Amino acid sequence: MKKILITGASGFIGRCVTDEMIKRGYTVYAPSLSPSLPPQDGLLQSRLDFFDREALKRYLAEHRFENLIHLAWYVGPKCHMSPGNMDWLGLSLDLLKSFAEYGGKTFLGAGTVSEYDFSCGLLREDATALANPSLYGQSKAALYNVGKSFCRQAGIAFKWPRIFNLYGPYERPARLMPSVICSMLKNEDVKVSPCTKFLDYLHVYDTARGIASLFESDVTDAVNIASGQPVQLRAVVEEIARQTGFKGRILWGALEENFADPVIVGSNVRLTQEVGWQPVYTLQTGLRQTIDWWKEFLYEHV
């Protein structure tokens, strides 16, 4: 079996990417500070502190991976503004350098919609400026620019999925869809922003399939992992209410909106036409799967 190193394998996106790569015939090596994924064939977990640079280098020297999917990043409080982003930028560059030193051939790093200048509305890999003011977005854009140049010089295939908004099982409960779903399932008042913005959403499973398909393709450089279809947040909340049968109060405007831009949507032409990806879930079927998952989760944690 082919082997691959995946950082961040136990995260929201990482666990789905890990499952997808195992389905595609890879043995996944998933080191972390606290290995927590359920055991399965094709998954090798171990304890590793990535910020112990010498330990990380020894690990790469021992296994000499040709394939690397790098998803790990800072996800703590106020992640878009935290100096922790700079720590992960430095670590990621060290990781890429050592990966090349010990035989690396294909590198995929997790990019983000937050690299882009949101005021452009329709975000395209070949046309939209990487001018997002957040420290998170600038740190990711810096890794993209330096990583692409380094990989070209080192003869490594460089792939950069820019991940847009997503939802599904294991999402942090405080985020929009889990908070709305759980409040409605509990028949509580639902507190949301005015929800007038239009965003681009994908189910996390379709996102993982997009990442895996990009990794296995001949396509390189930045590729938006996006639906290409803007949906108003208000319509999302109303669809969740319809599917859960919620009859309680939705308190529109009880929370402040997080950003000012009215529309953020990604062109997915490269993903669909060059990589050959197509989604499995519609928004309606994806929300149904997600609601069913949260029902089970809440039942288990009563």
Side-chain angles (χ1 to χ4, degrees):
M1 294 178 71
K2 300 165 286 188
K3 70 178 185 178
I4 186 168
L5 169 61
I6 299 182
T7 73
S10 61
F12 176 40
I13 302 171
R15 64 175 58 232
C16 295
V17 173
T18 295
D19 288 345
E20 185 64 28
M21 296 308 289
I22 290 172
K23 288 177 187 175
R24 295 179 184 225
Y26 290 81
T27 298
V28 172
Y29 288 71
S32 67
L33 264 180
S34 302
S36 58
L37 290 173
Q40 62 172 307
D41 292 341
L43 175 63
L44 298 175
Q45 299 185 82
S46 58
R47 190 183 185 283
L48 178 66
D49 180 358
F50 285 100
F51 283 94
D52 183 339
R53 298 298 209 272
E54 292 303 314
L56 176 59
K57 197 164 185 176
R58 287 195 301 270
Y59 183 82
L60 294 172
E62 176 185 356
H63 295 288
R64 294 186 173 270
F65 297 102
E66 294 185 357
N67 303 305
L68 168 58
I69 292 179
H70 178 41
L71 303 175
W73 199 264
Y74 177 79
V75 292
K78 298 182 178 179
C79 60
H80 280 258
M81 301 178 287
S82 172
N85 288 290
M86 298 171 67
D87 296 332
W88 275 96
L89 171 59
L91 173 63
S92 299
L93 291 172
D94 282 350
L95 171 64
L96 180 53
K97 183 179 177 183
S98 294
F99 173 65
E101 182 179 349
Y102 295 114
K105 293 184 178 179
T106 303
F107 172 84
L108 181 147
T112 172
V113 60
S114 294
E115 295 171 63
Y116 287 124
D117 176 359
F118 286 166
S119 67
C120 296
L122 177 64
L123 310 179
R124 292 174 45 188
E125 302 96 333
D126 62 345
T128 307
L130 304 183
N132 194 283
S134 71
L135 187 55
Y136 170 64
Q138 286 296 310
S139 296
K140 286 283 191 174
L143 178 56
Y144 164 72
N145 285 315
V146 177
K148 180 172 68 170
S149 179
F150 174 78
C151 285
R152 186 187 303 118
Q153 178 178 302
I156 293 172
F158 178 80
K159 299 166 185 280
W160 191 258
R162 289 206 176 105
I163 301 166
F164 278 60
N165 296 287
L166 64 165
Y167 66 98
Y170 296 100
E171 189 175 5
R172 284 180 289 174
R175 293 180 63 82
L176 174 65
M177 292 196 193
S179 66
V180 169
I181 289 170
C182 291
S183 291
M184 289 184 176
L185 290 175
K186 295 175 182 177
N187 201 33
E188 299 172 344
D189 287 348
V190 176
K191 297 179 180 180
V192 289
S193 73
C195 290
T196 58
K197 310 301 184 186
F198 287 80
L199 298 182
D200 188 317
Y201 272 98
L202 268 184
H203 193 284
V204 66
Y205 291 172
D206 280 332
T207 298
R209 288 179 50 256
I211 290 169
S213 297
L214 172 58
F215 185 86
E216 291 198 311
S217 75
D218 294 330
V219 177
T220 58
D221 210 325
V223 175
N224 289 340
I225 309 296
S227 72
Q229 299 293 326
V231 59
Q232 191 177 42
L233 297 181
R234 193 179 191 96
V236 172
V237 174
E238 290 172 344
E239 177 63 18
I240 296 171
R242 187 189 69 80
Q243 292 200 24
T244 58
F246 181 69
K247 303 300 182 185
R249 295 194 304 169
I250 301 175
L251 305 179
W252 306 105
L255 304 178
E256 293 183 2
E257 290 184 310
N258 291 329
F259 52 89
D261 306 281
V263 179
I264 299 174
V265 60
S267 167
N268 66 1
V269 172
R270 292 206 78 200
L271 180 63
T272 56
Q273 296 187 8
E274 296 182 43
V275 177
W277 169 96
Q278 292 294 327
V280 170
Y281 289 100
T282 64
L283 182 64
Q284 290 72 28
T285 60
L287 285 175
R288 168 51 56 198
Q289 189 274 346
T290 304
I291 290 167
D292 288 344
W293 186 88
W294 279 104
K295 282 181 180 178
E296 185 68 22
F297 179 86
L298 292 174
Y299 176 80
E300 291 176 352
H301 291 81
V302 170

